Structure formats: structure tokens, C-alpha cells
Amino acid sequence: MKVWLLVVLLLVSEALENVIGQQPPKNKRPKEPGENKIKPSNKKVKPKIPKIKDRDSPDSMPKTQSIMIQVLDNGRFQKPAATLSLMAGQTVELRCKGNKIGWSYPAYLDTFKDSRLSVKQHERYGQLTLVNSTAADTGEFSCWLQLCDGYICRNDQAKTSSTYIFFTEKGELFVPSPSYFDVVYLNPDRQAVVPCRVTVLSAKVTLHREFPAKEIPANGKDIMYDMKRGFVYLQPHSDHQGVVYCKAEAGGKSQISVKYQLLYVEVPSGPPSTTILASSNKVKGGDDINVLCTVLGEPDVEVEFRWIYPGQKDERPVTIQDTWRLIHRGLGHTTRISQSVITVEDFETIDAGYYICTAQNLRGQTSVATTVEFS
């Protein structure tokens, strides 16, 4: 009897557990069909704002792409460093990637362009080859890609390369100069360079005045040394004039450069300062007349003259002569005087009128005129 009672109680307990397990949990409602089963979150999410690159930031600016390689003796290739030191006599071969390449090299090499120097353009690269190199070839070699539209080309500034090559030669610490004495003009409005360039990268170079004898310090303020250019006068003035030379020391040896005469220029840069003067402004028939055009300018700036005169349309024969010379105006100031004179012989009525002289230099041109009458 007790056994049956125990069995009945167990069955009733199990039935109650099943009924309770099937009841929906408290505080929950039955989900509607199609309702999202993901539990909504109350967290606040920060919206991500995409970063916009500044157009003027360094990352957005086009970077210069190196296009130059050096061909070594063993046939291998390498990107040349900013400076190279080679023994004189070695062959140099440089290649730059591109179907149209422009080159720049020391001006001295233009003399040997057909013999020691060769520049060729291949389908995919430009090639520069220098054989039998000498200390005088020391300088910068550069190349750039040219972008052409028909006959009009421009340089691609993003694709350019350069290397400065020192050609070391026994007994030559300085890059040889074509003369034993040179002139450097000191202009107050621009830098002046004493071109003491060396062939040994490690050479110590100093600048010296001949009289009174002393070393001129390159302090970086008034004067600085640039191994690719020489001693640079940053702000030339009249106190710098005189005779100077350079001294180089390397490997226990020393050498003196050629001498340089520093001349101060008093004439400011600009278009020619021009005057015109006739030998007479009233001329009788049959007489001769001269009209003189004069320019005072910088010693190293050339001037070209052009004339317009009354008998030009009738092809009246005239004589035109151009000359120039350096003049010293006290305290070592040096000026270049350039002149052009037009001569008309056996003056006629067709020679009367305006004589116009135009003088031109790299910075502009100036026209002046005078009248000559028939009397």
C-alpha cells in the first residue's frame, strides 16, 4: 500500500514540473511573427567621421621620383648617391628611365661632346657615357623626363635625378681652371662666387687674401663654402674687393688655386642705362655725321644694339661699329662702358630725321632717340 502511494506521489510531482516549465516567463510577451529577435541595446554609439586629407599636407604633394641609375663595370646597376668619388680615367655610364630624357652636365664637357662624351636616347631610357674622365669633369650630372605635346616640351618636375661626381686625379686637388687669373664681379644685389671647387670630397678648403696676407674666415654669415660651387659671398660689398686665392689640404698634401681679382660693381642691375649724342644736330649737305649710343652697366653683362635711321627704307649705306671696355671709377668700382656709333657720309635730305638706338641686355631694353636736321 505504501509502495503504491509513493509511486502516485512521484507521478503527480513530475506532471506539475512539466506544466510549470511550459508557462511563459514573467514580464515577457509572446513575439509577433516577423519581429526582430535581436535584443535592442540602449548604448550610445559615436558616429565615425571619415578623415579627409589636407590637400596641402606633405602626404598629398607629389613626391620626386628617382629615375637615374649607374651602370657599374661588372654590368650591375645601382642608384647613384648624391655625391660620388671616382678615379680620373674611369668610364661613367648613367641611365635615366623615360622615352625622352633631358641632360645637364659640366659645361666644360661640351668641348668633348663628340669624342669623350656621348648622350643617346633609347626607346625606354636615356644614356650618358663619359670615357677617359679627368679632374676637370668634376661637377653635377642630372637628368629629367620631358613631357612633349608635338614640338612643345616641358620638364616633369616629379621625375628628375642628379648626382655630383668628384673625379680624383693625382696632383690635382682643385678642379683645373682654363686660366691662371680670373675676375669675379661683386654686385651689391646678388651673391658672388669664387669658384674654388675641389676633386676630393674630404679636402679642407680655406680662402686667403693676397695683400695684406691673411685667411678670410667663412663664417656662414657673410661668406660660406659650398663644395659644389666654391666660396659664396652672400652680401658682397666694396670691402671684399682685392686679390684672393684658395688653399686645399687632403691626404697630407696641399695645393694653391689660381688667383681671383674681386671687383666691386657700382651700377645696379636692370635694363641698360642708355644715352645718345649726335656730333651735330644740324648738318649741311655733303658733310659726315656720327651718332653715338652709350651704355654704362655691369662688367659681365653684354649689351646688344639696334638702330633705326631715316634712310633705312631707301637702303642708305651707313657704317655701324660696336665696342666695349671696362673703366675704373675710384675705390675699385668697375663699370662696363658699351658703345655703338652709326656714321653717315655725304649727308643728304633723306638722312634727316630721327635716329633711334635700342640697347638690350638680359634684364630688358632701353630706346633713346635724337633728331638730325638738314641745314
Side-chain angles (χ1 to χ4, degrees):
M1 187 68 167
K2 291 181 180 181
V3 176
W4 283 105
L5 180 60
L6 183 59
V7 172
V8 170
L9 289 173
L10 287 173
L11 291 173
V12 171
S13 174
E14 187 178 349
L16 288 173
E17 286 179 4
N18 290 337
V19 171
I20 293 170
Q22 289 176 1
Q23 288 181 355
K26 289 181 180 180
N27 301 328
K28 285 192 179 181
R29 62 178 178 80
K31 292 187 178 181
E32 299 293 332
E35 186 178 0
N36 186 3
K37 295 182 181 179
I38 300 174
K39 183 178 180 181
S41 172
N42 292 327
K43 284 186 179 179
K44 291 184 179 179
V45 180
K46 250 188 180 180
K48 288 186 178 180
I49 302 172
K51 290 184 179 179
I52 301 174
K53 277 190 177 181
D54 187 356
R55 289 184 180 180
D56 296 328
S57 68
D59 293 338
S60 63
M61 299 297 287
K63 294 181 179 179
T64 302
Q65 180 180 345
S66 177
I67 60 174
M68 179 184 288
I69 59 170
Q70 179 188 4
V71 182
L72 304 179
D73 292 338
N74 56 9
R76 299 181 65 183
F77 301 92
Q78 72 173 13
K79 178 183 174 182
T83 57
L84 294 175
S85 292
L86 303 176
M87 292 299 298
Q90 282 188 253
T91 296
V92 177
E93 182 181 346
L94 301 174
R95 296 183 183 182
C96 289
K97 185 179 179 182
N99 57 4
K100 192 170 183 62
I101 296 295
W103 290 93
S104 175
Y105 44 82
Y108 172 82
L109 285 170
D110 278 328
T111 309
F112 303 97
K113 195 168 183 179
D114 294 331
S115 54
R116 295 197 302 118
L117 180 69
S118 169
V119 176
K120 296 179 181 179
Q121 179 63 53
H122 299 274
E123 184 179 356
R124 296 185 178 180
Y125 64 90
Q127 179 188 41
L128 181 147
T129 306
L130 175 65
V131 299
N132 300 325
S133 57
T134 68
D137 302 331
T138 296
E140 189 166 57
F141 294 76
S142 59
C143 66
W144 56 88
L145 178 66
Q146 292 182 310
L147 303 176
C148 298
D149 182 8
Y151 293 101
I152 301 175
C153 296
R154 63 180 178 86
N155 298 343
D156 187 347
Q157 300 298 330
K159 294 184 179 180
T160 179
S161 297
S162 65
T163 183
Y164 190 94
I165 305 179
F166 295 87
F167 290 102
T168 303
E169 189 171 346
K170 187 177 180 181
E172 293 285 358
L173 292 182
F174 285 105
V175 177
S177 173
S179 62
Y180 292 99
F181 194 87
D182 204 353
V183 177
V184 176
Y185 297 106
L186 304 174
N187 297 272
D189 56 349
R190 65 175 183 265
Q191 296 179 355
V193 179
V194 177
C196 297
R197 296 185 299 124
V198 291
T199 62
V200 180
L201 178 60
S202 59
K204 178 186 176 183
V205 190
T206 51
L207 181 64
H208 300 260
R209 182 183 295 276
E210 187 178 48
F211 183 82
K214 67 174 184 178
E215 181 179 337
I216 303 174
N219 53 21
K221 295 181 180 179
D222 297 326
I223 304 172
M224 61 171 286
Y225 183 69
D226 183 341
M227 65 178 182
K228 296 181 180 181
R229 300 170 66 194
F231 284 96
V232 182
Y233 285 74
L234 302 176
Q235 295 178 330
H237 51 77
S238 58
D239 293 342
H240 288 145
Q241 62 191 349
V243 178
V244 300
Y245 63 89
C246 303
K247 182 179 180 180
E249 297 178 350
K253 297 181 180 180
S254 64
Q255 187 177 2
I256 302 297
S257 73
V258 301
K259 294 180 180 179
Y260 299 91
Q261 174 73 58
L262 307 187
L263 297 177
Y264 186 75
V265 180
E266 64 172 340
V267 179
S269 302
S273 175
T274 313
T275 58
I276 191 169
L277 179 66
S279 56
S280 177
N281 291 104
K282 292 185 178 181
V283 184
K284 295 179 181 180
D287 288 350
D288 298 341
I289 183 175
N290 297 322
V291 182
L292 178 65
C293 191
T294 303
V295 170
L296 295 178
E298 300 171 75
D300 54 345
V301 177
E302 295 184 1
V303 177
E304 293 182 355
F305 293 95
R306 298 192 307 274
W307 285 95
I308 297 176
Y309 52 93
Q312 195 167 14
K313 291 182 180 179
D314 299 321
E315 297 184 355
R316 177 76 161 90
V318 298
T319 302
I320 298 175
Q321 184 178 5
D322 298 343
T323 60
W324 70 271
R325 60 190 175 90
L326 296 180
I327 58 175
H328 300 283
R329 295 187 155 193
L331 297 177
H333 292 192
T334 305
T335 303
R336 178 181 179 129
I337 179 170
S338 303
Q339 293 181 317
S340 180
V341 58
I342 182 171
T343 303
V344 180
E345 298 178 349
D346 193 15
F347 196 82
E348 301 177 10
T349 54
I350 62 171
D351 298 320
Y354 286 100
Y355 285 75
I356 303 172
C357 170
T358 299
Q360 182 173 359
N361 62 18
L362 294 175
R363 296 175 180 86
Q365 66 179 28
T366 306
S367 295
V368 290
T370 188
T371 306
V372 179
E373 299 176 357
F374 186 87
S375 62

